[in-house]
Amino acid sequence: MIKNMLRALPALFIVLAPLAVPTPAHASAAAQAFPLSYAVGQIPVADESRTGYTRDKFKHWNSGLDPADGCNTRAEVLLAEASEAPTVSAGCKLSGGKWLSYYDEQEVTDPAQLDIDHMVPLAEAWDSGASTWSAAHREAYANDQDAAASLVAVTARTNRQKADQDPSAWMPPAPSATCRYLAEWTATKLRWGLSADQAEIDTINVYAGGPCELTVVHYVPAP
């Protein structure tokens, strides 16, 4: 129940009072809250390299938060994000239910039509620092349910359009999704200590200084 409530919280907030700039990112494991314009400046800028990447270097989906429930990470995310709970049958097979894919503002009633998107795709994570991680750390990243922004249920169509692209190459088609998406992207990069290339930073800064200037990024550094 608590997990569902956390996932239901908006990923960004419009603040009505000035936000104090806190201590630098990664100073502690405490929750952090930054204006998007400040948060993006805390992401290290570095060139990307995909040398050696294969998707199977990120083990997913594993047995999830509760290995005893018989559901893998994908199914647990679907259960957590459902606006109307699906029926769960033997083997954690889901049927019915209702979800809102925020990338394209589509309501979905068939879980088979949804993908669980890694907010920062696995290939992009590899390019941005995960190539140096242990296999266990990459598995933790690929199954991260401890931050609502890390994994999101969206229509398969939009997930496959996005593929492994960063915000300089792809943005959600729904205008209402723009600021939330950039906040969640930035939060995920900061949570996992990932870098960004200059084009990615420049794109986020355009929005951070314009339509998303009041957007706040919330994250907790990963263990």
Side-chain angles (χ1 to χ4, degrees), residues 142-163:
N143 297 275
D144 183 16
Q145 293 190 69
D146 290 325
S150 295
L151 300 171
V152 57
V154 295
T155 56
R157 178 181 63 256
T158 53
N159 183 48
R160 292 164 199 184
Q161 288 171 348
K162 174 185 174 182

Side-chain angles (χ1 to χ4, degrees), residues 125-218:
W126 179 273
D127 297 350
S128 306
S131 61
T132 66
W133 295 351
S134 68
H137 202 59
R138 286 195 290 268
E139 180 179 353
Y141 176 85
N143 297 275
D144 183 16
Q145 293 190 69
D146 290 325
S150 295
L151 300 171
V152 57
V154 295
T155 56
R157 178 181 63 256
T158 53
N159 183 48
R160 292 164 199 184
Q161 288 171 348
K162 174 185 174 182
D164 58 6
Q165 300 175 94
D166 69 31
S168 70
W170 185 88
M171 292 285 286
S176 62
T178 299
C179 295
R180 174 179 172 181
Y181 182 71
L182 293 176
E184 293 188 343
W185 179 280
T186 301
T188 304
K189 287 253 167 161
L190 290 171
R191 171 170 168 75
W192 288 93
L194 296 169
S195 64
D197 63 28
Q198 193 60 57
E200 184 182 336
I201 295 293
D202 290 346
T203 297
I204 298 173
N205 273 326
V206 167
Y207 290 93
C212 303
E213 64 180 345
L214 296 181
T215 297
V216 179
V217 175
H218 296 264

Side-chain angles (χ1 to χ4, degrees), residues 52-90:
Y53 169 74
T54 58
R55 190 171 175 82
D56 61 10
K57 290 183 177 177
F58 292 80
K59 181 182 177 182
H60 67 289
W61 305 109
N62 65 17
S63 57
L65 291 176
D66 181 6
D69 67 5
C71 297
N72 64 13
T73 298
R74 170 186 160 80
E76 288 184 352
V77 173
L78 288 172
L79 288 167
E81 295 196 353
S83 55
E84 290 185 12
T87 299
V88 183
S89 56

Side-chain angles (χ1 to χ4, degrees), residues 36-112:
L36 178 59
S37 58
Y38 179 84
V40 70
Q42 305 311 298
I43 300 175
V45 179
D47 293 334
E48 296 182 351
S49 173
R50 196 155 298 182
T51 302
Y53 169 74
T54 58
R55 190 171 175 82
D56 61 10
K57 290 183 177 177
F58 292 80
K59 181 182 177 182
H60 67 289
W61 305 109
N62 65 17
S63 57
L65 291 176
D66 181 6
D69 67 5
C71 297
N72 64 13
T73 298
R74 170 186 160 80
E76 288 184 352
V77 173
L78 288 172
L79 288 167
E81 295 196 353
S83 55
E84 290 185 12
T87 299
V88 183
S89 56
C92 198
K93 182 178 180 180
L94 308 183
S95 59
K98 188 178 293 184
W99 293 262
L100 178 65
S101 167
Y102 91 82
Y103 286 2
D104 51 0
E105 294 185 327
Q106 295 298 303
E107 189 174 84
V108 179
T109 56
D110 179 359

